[in-house]
Amino acid sequence: MQTTLTDSAEEAAAILNSGRVVAFPTETVYGLGASIYHPEAIKRVFQAKGRPGDNPLIVHIYSLEQLADIAVEINSDARKLIDRFFPGPLTLVLKKNPLIPDAVTGGLATVGVRCPANPVAREFLRLSACPVAAPSANLSGLPSATSWEAVYEDLEGKIDCVLRGNPSSIGLESTIVDCSGSKPLLLRAGAITFEQLQTVVPEIATNTNPDKQAPPKSPGLKYPHYAPKAAIILCHTDETRSVAPSSAYIGLSEPPEGISLFKRCQNLEEYGCELFSFFRRCDSKGIERIYCELPSNQGLGRAIRDRLMRAAGKK
Ligand code: AMP
Ligand code: MG
């Protein structure tokens, strides 16, 4: 299959509406989209990525008016989060409208909904004029793609089109909050931080709260994620160590001595933004080990920690 590269949101939307599969830029990571009204295209999203069928897709919308087509019984906490954070890097899990095909939600009675803020994503979704189901545009298990080049590297020949945009400004997948139950629950940390969510819905709990009895987990999170070919070694700020040859480092502190490739980030925002592209760069250079500084669980640190722990197979 020929993969069309285009800068035209109009061309990409026409391809999507003809029942084909299109990767597009968003502020979090690139998405691999299909119209929710084209079941064959939804199937092809799973095939192209090698994604298990029970791992649900997020439905992307342009306008809040589309919400009623997607979700039912939207409670007051969800409304508050929508008012405060849409459009933006937040996905809400809501009770699904029966019209949403089961293939989109991995058979769940709930649906993840997001309204991206990236202007190219918005133009693409506006012209598509339908809700677009999309997971991250990478091969299943690998680091998410934060540039069109990374999408192309993973999916060339497997998808119909890549809408080219700038590298993703955040570089980490959306924050996911489950609002389908009596209390909001943070399922996946992201650029909208737990602390920011607490200012709007103070009752919000995290998935890992020990006093919560078996909250429903996000099924996709049970699969291995974000892992480069290189081994990931988690390290702490105060550790100085000499490293094995063919090692790389990413973090906020000084790199260890003897490192072949490193990225020292100025702040957590830069760390989040660079993480997945750094993993891919290390793999392309045949690096064997990547030392990654584990930030604290505050603010954006929570999302970076989560991705690092998963990449290291520790979560
Ligand atoms: P990705 O954007 O590739 O990380 O894929 C979307 C992720 O969103 C899935 O792996 C799930 O973790 C999560 N998700 C999507 N829909 C739901 C849902 N209805 N319930 C819980 N989690 C969801
Ligand atoms: Mg993904």
Side-chain angles (χ1 to χ4, degrees):
M1 174 194 310
Q2 171 93 26
T3 302
T4 302
L5 286 174
T6 183
D7 299 325
S8 159
E10 201 174 354
E11 184 182 6
I15 293 175
L16 182 109
N17 277 319
S18 70
R20 287 178 285 164
V21 172
V22 176
F24 61 101
T26 87
E27 69 274 30
T28 57
V29 299
Y30 273 64
L32 182 60
S35 161
I36 63 162
Y37 302 125
H38 284 276
E40 278 306 308
I42 299 287
K43 210 184 280 174
R44 287 202 28 237
V45 167
F46 286 89
Q47 283 166 354
K49 286 189 55 124
R51 183 177 178 98
D54 66 347
N55 191 353
L57 311 182
I58 293 171
V59 177
H60 293 70
I61 56 173
Y62 162 71
S63 143
L64 294 186
E65 284 166 24
Q66 294 171 289
L67 261 182
D69 298 335
I70 294 161
V72 294
E73 297 174 37
I74 303 174
N75 63 27
S76 67
D77 283 333
R79 291 273 168 215
K80 286 184 206 159
L81 292 168
I82 288 167
D83 285 350
R84 176 72 182 78
F85 297 114
F86 275 26
L90 176 68
T91 297
L92 292 184
V93 171
L94 302 168
K95 289 196 181 133
K96 106 180 176 64
N97 182 321
L99 295 174
I100 301 279
D102 280 344
V104 170
T105 62
L108 296 173
T110 55
V111 60
V113 188
R114 183 162 102 81
C115 180
N118 174 293
V120 179
R122 290 187 63 69
E123 184 65 355
F124 169 65
L125 293 171
R126 185 179 71 79
L127 293 166
S128 297
C130 63
V132 173
S136 53
N138 53 279
L139 289 175
S140 206
L142 296 192
S144 297
T146 57
S147 66
W148 70 261
E149 291 92 338
V151 175
Y152 199 68
E153 184 183 284
D154 273 15
L155 298 173
E156 194 240 321
K158 298 185 167 161
I159 62 174
D160 299 292
C161 176
V162 180
L163 173 56
R164 289 187 294 206
N166 291 329
S168 301
S169 56
I170 293 170
L172 298 171
E173 305 77 5
S174 58
T175 304
I176 304 182
V177 177
D178 183 355
C179 285
S180 67
S182 54
K183 239 190 218 183
L185 184 66
L186 178 71
L187 295 182
R188 178 170 76 186
I192 305 289
T193 64
F194 185 60
E195 293 83 349
Q196 281 176 295
L197 294 165
Q198 278 180 314
T199 64
V200 179
V201 285
E203 292 261 82
I204 188 168
T206 64
N207 225 347
T208 48
N209 254 359
D211 58 336
K212 302 284 167 294
Q213 25 152 315
K217 279 195 104 176
S218 196
L221 300 181
K222 70 179 185 231
Y223 294 109
H225 260 84
Y226 322 122
K229 293 191 200 91
I232 298 292
I233 300 166
L234 305 174
C235 57
H236 298 277
T237 24
D238 50 354
E239 277 174 39
T240 46
R241 51 166 94 224
S242 61
V243 299
S246 190
S247 297
Y249 164 86
I250 183 166
L252 301 169
S253 311
E254 289 241 359
E257 266 172 44
I259 213 87
S260 349
L261 176 69
F262 68 89
K263 174 79 204 168
R264 186 177 181 186
C265 305
Q266 299 300 310
N267 49 42
L268 288 172
E269 283 70 26
E270 188 182 4
Y271 195 169
C273 190
E274 295 292 330
L275 183 65
F276 292 139
S277 64
F278 188 74
F279 281 177
R280 284 175 178 268
R281 181 139 51 98
C282 290
D283 278 350
S284 74
K285 293 191 180 306
I287 293 284
E288 287 169 20
R289 279 161 234 87
I290 312 174
Y291 290 80
C292 303
E293 183 179 346
L294 254 192
S296 81
N297 219 11
Q298 305 299 304
L300 190 59
R302 181 186 288 269
I304 297 171
R305 268 183 89 91
D306 170 73
R307 304 311 187 271
L308 290 175
M309 303 280 278
R310 288 180 199 283
K314 298 230 155 49
K315 211 171 178 183

